[in-house]
Amino acid sequence: MFLEAITNVLEGNGLITGFVIVGVTMYVAYLISGKLTRGIVHGSAIAIVLGLVLAYFGGIYTEGTKGLADVSLFAGIGLLGGSMLRDFAIVATSFGANFDEIKKAGARGVSSLFIGVALSFVVGVLIALLFGYNDAVSLTTIGAGAVTYIVGPVTGAALNASSEVIAISIAAGLIKSVLVMVGTPFVAKYIGLDNPLTAMVYGGLMGTTSGVTGGLAATDVRLVPYGAVTATFYTGLGCLLCPTLLYILTGLVW
């Protein structure tokens, strides 16, 4: 009776349950980061990996498509991880930036956006070719996934790509996000990543908002809002260019 009552309360307050699960996951991730890696691997990167593991076992357990959110007890995670709260978090982070510093980025900040999207897209297309994909829709979708794991499914849906290709595009974006998050603290001192201007250019080149913000948080938390600003614009630019101009160019080449 007691367990049933607890389960009913948790299921009836799904969003709050989702917050609790995420909070516990973050606590465990930062504990692992501090105790086992001495801060070398940022807690956010570990949290993403733990989230993917939980999603995998949730999907296996329910034979569903939404990972842990397919379990009725954890259904609130589906809302917590939805686009509404994601976009709210991105906007809230960007509000911490100083507009005077943003203006200093100027042409360098804008050009970093286009260079970052194009470079990531080309790398993604080359990887898709190595895996045997040679049609424009699949190449574009996987290339878009390498831009970010948000741009991938947006592009795939626009181009009517198969669910398999869309899944690969999301996986490519997630791998990029984790690599950026883990690698940023290691390369920061070599590329001068210690001021708002370079943080904005870096955010424009890398683009993955979660990876950039996590990596900058491990480097210098004061740089997070600046990297988040250009990384957010990068995502929007990718969603505009990948299903249109870059798809047309890919079709002309292949």
Side-chain angles (χ1 to χ4, degrees):
M1 290 291 293
F2 177 74
L3 289 177
E4 183 179 349
I6 293 295
T7 301
N8 290 336
V9 170
L10 294 177
E11 289 182 351
N13 299 274
L15 184 59
I16 296 176
T17 303
F19 274 110
V20 172
I21 294 171
V22 171
V24 171
T25 304
M26 292 296 294
Y27 176 79
V28 172
Y30 277 86
L31 195 65
I32 294 173
S33 174
K35 299 295 184 181
L36 298 184
T37 72
R38 296 182 180 180
I40 294 177
V41 180
H42 195 263
S44 298
I46 297 174
I48 286 179
V49 174
L50 291 177
L52 291 173
V53 171
L54 290 173
Y56 172 77
F57 284 109
I60 292 294
Y61 175 74
T62 61
E63 297 183 354
T65 59
K66 299 179 181 179
L68 202 60
D70 281 316
V71 182
S72 59
L73 183 62
F74 308 131
I77 291 179
L79 177 60
L80 183 60
S83 59
M84 179 181 68
L85 289 178
R86 178 202 66 207
D87 294 341
F88 173 78
I90 292 172
V91 172
T93 302
S94 300
F95 264 101
N98 185 323
F99 188 68
D100 290 333
E101 294 289 349
I102 295 174
K103 289 192 294 184
K104 292 179 183 178
R108 286 171 290 187
V110 174
S111 61
S112 69
L113 295 173
F114 288 91
I115 293 171
V117 170
L119 184 60
S120 295
F121 182 82
V122 169
V123 171
V125 168
L126 292 177
I127 292 174
L129 285 170
L130 291 176
F131 278 90
Y133 292 96
N134 52 23
D135 61 288
V137 171
S138 296
L139 291 175
T140 303
T141 302
I142 296 174
V147 174
T148 77
Y149 59 79
I150 296 174
V151 177
V154 168
T155 301
L159 300 178
N160 292 320
S162 67
S163 57
E164 172 193 315
V165 171
I166 292 176
I168 293 174
S169 76
I170 295 173
L174 286 171
I175 292 172
K176 175 186 175 182
S177 179
V178 172
L179 289 176
V180 171
M181 191 179 295
V182 173
T184 298
F186 294 101
V187 303
K189 64 180 179 180
Y190 299 108
I191 62 176
L193 190 54
D194 56 6
N195 61 80
L197 177 58
T198 55
M200 283 185 282
V201 173
Y202 185 74
L205 290 173
M206 296 295 104
T208 170
T209 307
S210 56
V212 168
T213 53
L216 289 178
T219 304
D220 186 345
V221 70
R222 294 172 297 180
L223 300 178
V224 171
Y226 301 101
V229 167
T230 46
T232 302
F233 280 113
Y234 171 104
T235 301
L237 182 65
C239 289
L240 288 173
L241 292 181
C242 288
T244 54
L245 178 61
L246 293 178
Y247 168 63
I248 293 171
L249 292 176
T250 303
L252 291 176
V253 175
W254 283 280

